[in-house]
Amino acid sequence: MLDSLTPSQIQSAEKTLAAGTWAITAGAVLFSVLTVTPLVERVTPVEWTWTAPILPLVVDAAVVIVVRLDAVVARLGGESGRWPAVLRWMTGLMTLLLNVGDSALKNDLVGVAVHAVAPLLLIVTAEAGLAYRRAISAALERIERSRATVQAEREQREQAEREHERQTREQAEHTAREHAERLERERAEREMSERAAEREHTARMERERLDREADVRREQREYEDRVRHEAQERDDALRREQQEQAERSRRERAAIEPPAPTAHGAGEREAVNTDYHLPNVSLNSGALVLRKLPETEARSYIASFREGERTVRQLAEDTGWSVGWVAARVQEAREERVAEQAEPAEAVA
């Protein structure tokens, strides 16, 4: 029950106890002075009768001291020891005997009973007040300990809650940092994958472009080779046709031209030393001039031969054009071959 009281309620009860104790003490002291003084006057010399009130006052002062100091010691939660208890009982008994002494000497039992009320009430009130104060002090101490324990538990709980909140906050921050780092890693990995895919796509497109260009160059070379081959075949056919035509013309001229007696031996030697009889006969004899080929046919005829196969003079004899013109055409054919050989090399590079 005391645990449910507030400190203000307990202090109010303690004040009520103190007020009641001091009221009883004051009444008992006053009643004792009025009762004991006549008794002391009868046993005191006449000239000292004025000192009669001193004795009850001294006894009552001892009672006040005992009540007051017991209240302080009890409030502090201590034990006053044996001598304060002796003093308390001795003053109580003295007050009791002094108050009932006069009635007892007169054999007045009613007076003894009446005068014993105040001293007995003071003695019991002093003991009861001491017990009350000790109980209140113990209760207050217990309440304080309980409240201190509750306060400590509350502070510990609050500390635990703050620690839990701190750990929760740190865990949340740690989780947030890990999440942010994971997102950053995923973003970096995604960017790296995208860059790698882009590089791979670029490399694949470049390879495909190079392959296409290589295919185009290969097809171009094949086409050019095919064109050159076809042109070579046409040129060979044209050359053979021209050679056959030249041979027929030579035979026709040889058939219609009478042989010169003086130049018979030289003509035979010339025919033996040359591959073609037509140019040598026509040029050396000077008797018959060959038919001059058209410029287009002459150019094709000159270009059909590779460098070194025939001399400029032989080509001039075969086409009927001048040596200077044939030399210029041979130079042009040589330059065209060099250019054709340089183009595939540049395409491969």
Side-chain angles (χ1 to χ4, degrees), residues 1-11 139-155 157:
M1 180 177 178
L2 290 176
D3 295 340
S4 62
L5 297 177
T6 62
S8 60
Q9 291 175 341
I10 295 176
Q11 291 177 359
L140 287 175
E141 184 178 357
R142 185 170 64 253
I143 291 173
E144 291 295 331
R145 286 197 304 268
S146 177
R147 290 181 177 178
T149 303
V150 171
Q151 181 68 20
E153 291 178 354
R154 184 169 59 254
E155 292 178 356
R157 186 168 58 254

Side-chain angles (χ1 to χ4, degrees), residues 92-168:
L93 292 176
M94 287 181 180
T95 301
L96 176 62
L97 293 176
L98 289 174
N99 277 274
V100 300
D102 188 38
S103 297
L105 291 176
K106 295 179 180 179
N107 294 321
D108 186 3
L109 297 180
V110 176
V112 171
V114 171
H115 289 89
V117 171
L120 291 176
L121 185 60
L122 179 62
I123 293 172
V124 174
T125 300
E127 293 295 331
L130 180 61
Y132 283 139
R133 289 187 178 90
R134 287 177 179 175
I136 291 173
S137 298
L140 287 175
E141 184 178 357
R142 185 170 64 253
I143 291 173
E144 291 295 331
R145 286 197 304 268
S146 177
R147 290 181 177 178
T149 303
V150 171
Q151 181 68 20
E153 291 178 354
R154 184 169 59 254
E155 292 178 356
Q156 185 177 3
R157 186 168 58 254
E158 291 176 355
Q159 180 67 22
E161 291 177 355
R162 289 193 297 269
E163 184 68 19
H164 179 69
E165 291 178 356
R166 184 183 63 80
Q167 293 179 357
T168 303

